[in-house]
Amino acid sequence: STVRHFKNNQERRAAFRIARPQTIYENCIRSKQTMIRVGIVGVGFMGWIHYLAYQKVRSMKLAAVSSRDPKRLKGDWRGIKGNFGPPGEKIDLKGVATYTTYEEMLADDSIDMVDLCLPPAIHADFTIQAFEAGKHVLVEKPIAVSAADAKRMVKASQKSGKLLMTAHSLPFFPEYNFALKAARSGQYGKLLGGSFKRSISDPTWVDGFWDAEKVGGPMVDLQIHDSHWIRLLFGMPTAVTSQGRMRGDVVEYVSSQFEFADRSLVVNLNAGVIDQPSRSFAHGFEIHFEKATLLFDFCVIDDQPVLSMPLTVIPKKGKSKQPKLAGGDPVEAFIAEMKEAATSIETGTPSDILAGETAADALVLCHKQTEAVIKGRKVKI
């Protein structure tokens, strides 16, 4: 797909046949009355996962798909695969509009929200163009590769009155969702801190993964999950100290200690790529509250899931317990994510989990950790 910018409002409106920008509330009136119509841009692994999720969200309808691949536009999504979920299949796109260019999709007045499943380096231009066309945007994480692009996206959202939502799925996974609700409800008292981890083997299926300008490497493409998670739980850190290994211009693996305005918070993160093909993925946490500690540890070894520590609550008094959690299929987290996006559009209330501002903060945290590794000292945020 190509990106087109317009010289003035008259040219843009003529191309897209849109009305004047309105407030978020006014823009949501039609979506409250009818099902939210979504257009997916980019049919790869995440586009496939998002497609599966939309099949389970009653308030949303996949109405259009944009791709440069003619086979994908005919419904042949076989060959798509990633590190979780089922492989792509041949699907029926009857009733779904198919567009070879992004401009064609944006000219479709029936589309309420575009779902951008594209390389991170072009997120900003495609997002801003969608706002110019009067669409809400759900953009895959990371929000962008550069903090400057993320800032442009947030400003464009505010100017257009359309929602900018970044598809950070981690808070919707059962164990992480349990921890987030516990932190926000205060059921275990004040948060004291936590240790977080995430690692993968070399993701050879991601084109340009190690390119600092195209994808951003492990910090921007992988570790941003936990930077976003830490930002949600504890707020924005004030400084970070990081030690890491470099691969070219990007950090391959990092160990970071965060500082906050509340000096009593103790928060650290270990994440990145390790040369460990037989352990393709691992993540987990230990979160400390005044009245309890939450433990969780999961990995994939030899292509098999290994739950070495189910979510466990260790209370200050009494025996530990393992809460019953709904949702064992990873795709269910994306279903919850899409429902959150739908609620935001229906109510005109931005989701704090999906908010572009929070995603932009997470990206800043990733870059600050890289800066701390390169400089070999603490960096202020």
Side-chain angles (χ1 to χ4, degrees):
S1 297
T2 57
V3 176
R4 177 184 173 193
H5 293 287
F6 301 96
K7 296 178 182 178
N8 52 51
N9 288 339
Q10 184 178 4
E11 182 181 327
R12 182 172 65 248
R13 288 169 184 160
F16 293 121
R17 305 186 302 279
I18 62 172
R20 63 177 176 81
Q22 299 171 302
T23 64
I24 289 176
Y25 177 79
E26 290 169 336
N27 282 329
C28 293
I29 290 177
R30 184 164 68 88
S31 294
K32 286 182 178 181
Q33 297 171 342
T34 61
M35 186 175 292
I36 298 165
R37 294 173 59 83
V38 178
I40 291 179
V41 186
V43 183
F45 172 54
M46 290 314 305
W48 163 240
I49 296 299
H50 286 200
Y51 166 84
L52 293 175
Y54 287 125
Q55 308 311 303
K56 302 292 185 180
V57 182
R58 292 183 179 180
S59 57
M60 285 183 154
K61 173 181 173 57
L62 179 63
V65 171
S66 174
S67 175
R68 293 177 298 179
D69 188 334
K71 288 177 61 178
R72 300 282 165 86
L73 292 181
K74 292 179 181 178
D76 188 354
W77 293 16
R78 293 172 297 182
I80 296 175
K81 61 184 296 186
N83 58 348
F84 67 87
E89 304 170 0
K90 196 166 184 179
I91 62 173
D92 183 4
L93 288 176
K94 184 179 179 180
V96 177
T98 55
Y99 298 110
T100 56
T101 70
Y102 187 42
E103 288 79 9
E104 289 177 307
M105 177 182 285
L106 293 182
D108 185 340
D109 289 334
S110 72
I111 302 299
D112 301 301
M113 182 189 90
V114 295
D115 181 341
L116 299 178
C117 299
L118 298 168
I122 60 176
H123 281 179
D125 286 341
F126 276 71
T127 293
I128 292 169
Q129 192 175 359
F131 289 144
E132 291 174 345
K135 316 295 186 187
H136 299 292
V137 175
L138 176 70
V139 59
E140 249 307 313
K141 70 84 203 159
I143 184 172
V145 176
S146 76
D149 273 351
K151 189 174 182 179
R152 284 200 298 133
M153 294 162 73
V154 170
K155 285 187 175 181
S157 171
Q158 294 168 346
K159 182 178 179 180
S160 69
K162 290 295 181 179
L163 292 171
L164 170 59
M165 298 169 285
T166 307
H168 275 283
S169 59
L170 190 66
F172 299 100
F173 279 78
E175 296 83 4
Y176 288 83
N177 193 252
F178 181 96
L180 182 61
K181 288 180 178 178
R184 292 183 168 180
S185 69
Q187 70 180 102
Y188 300 124
K190 179 186 174 183
L191 268 170
L192 302 178
S195 296
F196 305 91
K197 68 176 185 178
R198 183 169 307 276
S199 67
I200 58 172
S201 57
D202 202 331
T204 55
W205 68 88
V206 181
D207 182 38
F209 180 81
W210 295 100
D211 188 324
E213 303 296 327
K214 186 175 182 179
V215 175
M219 296 297 293
V220 173
D221 192 68
L222 173 74
Q223 197 255 43
I224 198 167
H225 280 296
D226 297 280
S227 289
H228 180 264
W229 176 240
I230 287 169
R231 168 66 179 82
L232 276 181
L233 284 180
F234 304 101
M236 194 66 168
T238 57
V240 64
T241 302
S242 301
Q243 181 176 348
R245 292 189 295 270
M246 300 292 293
R247 186 190 293 197
D249 296 328
V250 299
V251 175
E252 180 180 62
Y253 191 87
V254 70
S255 179
S256 295
Q257 187 81 36
F258 297 93
E259 293 182 14
F260 296 83
D262 180 352
R263 300 287 293 178
S264 69
L265 288 172
V266 180
V267 179
N268 61 77
L269 168 62
N270 295 284
V273 172
I274 304 175
D275 187 14
Q276 46 168 27
S278 62
R279 187 178 71 167
S280 57
F281 175 77
H283 73 168
F285 58 71
E286 178 171 320
I287 304 175
H288 305 142
F289 294 85
E290 286 179 311
K291 300 177 183 178
T293 294
L294 304 187
L295 305 177
F296 169 65
D297 196 278
F298 172 84
C299 64
V300 177
I301 296 180
D302 297 328
D303 296 325
Q304 298 299 315
V306 178
L307 186 58
S308 54
M309 175 61 72
L311 180 67
T312 302
V313 179
I314 302 176
K316 190 172 183 179
K317 296 180 180 179
K319 295 183 178 181
S320 65
K321 62 178 181 179
Q322 295 179 349
K324 291 183 179 180
L325 302 174
D329 183 347
V331 177
E332 292 185 32
F334 292 86
I335 295 171
E337 176 188 292
M338 302 314 172
K339 289 180 177 178
E340 179 85 359
T343 298
S344 292
I345 293 173
E346 288 166 346
T347 63
T349 304
S351 162
D352 61 335
I353 298 176
L354 302 179
E357 291 87 346
T358 307
D361 282 350
L363 182 62
V364 168
L365 291 183
C366 291
H367 288 310
K368 289 296 183 179
Q369 290 172 80
T370 297
E371 182 182 345
V373 169
I374 292 172
K375 291 182 175 179
R377 60 173 174 80
K378 180 167 70 175
V379 170
K380 291 184 178 180
I381 299 171

